[in-house]
Amino acid sequence: MSNEQDYKLIKKAIKGDSHAFEELIIPYEKKVYNIALGVFKNEQDAYDAAQEVLIKVYKNLSKFKFESAFSTWLHRLAMNTCIDEYRKRKRHMNHTTSMDQSISNEEGSGPIKQFEDKALTPEQQVLQNEVVSEVRSALDMMKVDQKVILVYRDIQGMSYDEIAVILDCSLGTVKSRISRARKALKDIIVKKREQTDG
Amino acid sequence: MDCIRSQELMSLALDNELDQNEQVLFDQHLNQCPDCREEFALYQSMIQDLKQTPEAELPDGFHDNLMQRINEDKVVPFRKRFNYKQLNIAAMLVMVVVFALVGVNNLSDMNQGKMEETMVMEETTESMDMDMEAVVEESKESAEPAMMMEEPAAEMATEPMADDDVAEEEAGMDEGEVAVAEAEMTTTEEANSESDDGNTVTTTMSESQSEDAKSDDAEPNAKLSRNADDENLTAKLSENELEKEPVISLYADEPEEVPPNTMNWLWFVFATVAVATGFMSILIIRMKK
């Protein structure tokens, strides 16, 4: 969708035309959901985060200044919201019990806590493992800031210039950040392979 | 080109962002260095995997759920929404102005308070005189000569605040005592006049101050020869009483300048409303966030 079309819809939406707002965001919903999916490990978290992003778009549309493309503004909002949500949930996760946390007892090393996995049966897990590639699982282990930049560059295929606008930084910074993020991902993959082989 | 430089350029090389010269040098290095070649191949497959990650389809009902949430949240259309930030600033300004005005009002109250304080001081010295009477009674009870008790009583009169409590205790001890001799009465009167002198020194005009100073100078002599001539003392007392009159009239005039109490109530109500408005606006903003 061109900028002019977006601008017209935004102006209508700001005047209170909810249909114009729907028309404006429908083409971006899938992108936003996939950005969230790149950041979060599971679909439910991605779903919630994507909804949060689009509600923020609705609430903050009057702050859009028509100086940049709507897609850039939306992506920036999506990135910031997803990173915030990710950190919030990570903090929450740190307060909950880990799946493989051992129970210490008086005799020393206790048994490993056993949890029933209600989400997937072993067969489903095998299928999922086939679908989720090694790279995607390595991506999940990255820092959220680095993960987001790889989602934009290598999954969404955005140009350096677009990312520079979204991150509000120079082209040189974008290049070095992408380079560092890729190196971090490669190191994780190499480490995982070493663990599997060893 | 060495391995370190080659690794620095790998990310850009993956995106075909190297300039022609750099690209040639990079390719030459990869041909010569198997480690860098292997690493670059790993990067390429990694990026390829990421690019091939299929774009997930939106879960069923994503859009409907979103629109429902927006409607349920009752998010007011953008234009109709009140600018809470402006309300916040306005409330803060109102609070500042009101507190400033209340502050000014309190200043005038404080002035009034000072005058009340001086009046209380006057009352305290009067009560002190009563205490002096009790002290003198005690002196009579212990059958000591009146001349011996005169000096401590005079000291108490010149330092009324410090010895106030002691005098009160002594008065408490002598509760029930009735008889007061005429000689002691004159002693009390002298103490009374002395304490009044102390008060007028702090509050009255320079003329009366100089007169008080004179009378203060005269007092030690009077104390020594008190028993000898009581008439001098009574004459001095009447002189001091004359001096007190303008002071009392000064106090009587000033309370009329103080604003009426109704003004204070108005300020109080106004300030309460303003503060409540400020807190309400802050509360609304926090709820909206």
Side-chain angles (χ1 to χ4, degrees), chain B residues 175-195:
Chain B
E175 224 170 1
E177 291 287 326
V178 182
V180 179
E182 209 175 293
E184 275 74 36
M185 280 295 285
T186 52
T187 313
T188 313
E189 278 169 5
E190 193 198 25
N192 197 346
S193 67
E194 277 174 15
S195 64

Side-chain angles (χ1 to χ4, degrees), chain A residues 174-189:
Chain A
V174 171
K175 285 176 182 175
S176 62
R177 283 181 70 175
I178 289 174
S179 179
R180 276 202 298 274
R182 281 171 172 169
K183 187 178 182 307
L185 183 64
K186 184 213 70 178
D187 289 345
I188 291 168
I189 291 169

Side-chain angles (χ1 to χ4, degrees), chain B residues 158-212:
Chain B
T158 48
E159 295 171 8
M161 294 306 286
D163 295 332
D164 192 18
D165 290 341
V166 182
E168 275 177 9
E169 281 174 24
E170 286 169 352
M173 284 168 68
D174 296 333
E175 224 170 1
E177 291 287 326
V178 182
V180 179
E182 209 175 293
E184 275 74 36
M185 280 295 285
T186 52
T187 313
T188 313
E189 278 169 5
E190 193 198 25
N192 197 346
S193 67
E194 277 174 15
S195 64
D196 284 339
D197 287 343
N199 194 23
T200 46
V201 165
T202 53
T203 52
T204 53
M205 306 305 173
S206 58
E207 272 183 48
S208 60
Q209 273 179 352
S210 62
E211 282 178 21
D212 288 337

